[in-house]
Amino acid sequence: MTKLVAKVEVHDERQKRKAMQVVSSFGGIGSLSMDLKENKLTVSGEFDPVKVVSKLRKSWRTEILSVGTGKEDEGKKDDEGKKNEDLAKALQTYYSTPITYYYVPHEEPPSCVIC
């Protein structure tokens, strides 16, 4: 889980809504909040912070204040981690990498005689 705190220079409620709409269009966003007084945008979830900031920079002046891992509920994290590991092992055994053999037939070059 990634947590991004960025300073986005928006001046009114309309620009705030547009900035939040731009960020929410990315997949993997867990939570999104913006403080209009301090111009701080906080985004958490499974996303690429570089893509989010570069998209915001197209319309607003944006600075990255911090990027790090977000805090999760430890009990929930352990259960999900175990489930994900079990699922990964099951998928790996079921969908194992196929072995592919290639056969290139040996052909003799055509015999051409120029008279």
Side-chain angles (χ1 to χ4, degrees):
M1 183 173 194
T2 306
K3 183 177 180 182
L4 167 71
V5 179
K7 182 178 181 180
V8 182
E9 290 190 14
V10 294
H11 301 292
D12 58 357
E13 192 69 32
R14 183 177 179 210
Q15 288 184 355
K16 174 187 169 183
R17 275 187 273 127
K18 283 185 179 181
M20 291 181 75
Q21 191 174 21
V22 165
V23 174
S24 66
S25 67
F26 287 95
I29 302 294
S31 67
L32 176 65
S33 64
M34 186 163 189
D35 184 15
L36 195 58
K37 291 179 183 176
E38 297 180 12
N39 292 334
K40 283 188 181 180
L41 176 71
T42 305
V43 185
S44 63
E46 297 294 327
F47 64 96
D48 187 10
V50 175
K51 289 182 180 179
V52 171
V53 171
S54 65
K55 186 74 170 186
L56 284 170
R57 283 184 177 164
K58 290 181 181 179
S59 299
W60 299 278
R61 184 171 176 196
T62 306
E63 294 179 33
I64 299 174
L65 297 178
S66 68
V67 177
T69 58
K71 295 180 182 176
E72 291 183 358
D73 183 23
E74 292 299 324
K76 184 178 177 183
K77 184 178 178 182
D78 292 338
D79 292 340
E80 282 186 15
K82 289 179 184 177
K83 287 180 185 178
N84 289 340
E85 288 176 8
D86 293 340
L87 181 63
K89 287 180 184 177
L91 288 174
Q92 187 177 11
T93 56
Y94 187 74
Y95 294 109
S96 63
T97 307
I99 299 172
T100 306
Y101 296 100
Y102 293 100
Y103 173 71
V104 179
H106 179 68
E107 295 181 11
E108 294 182 20
S111 58
C112 294
V113 178
I114 302 176
C115 298

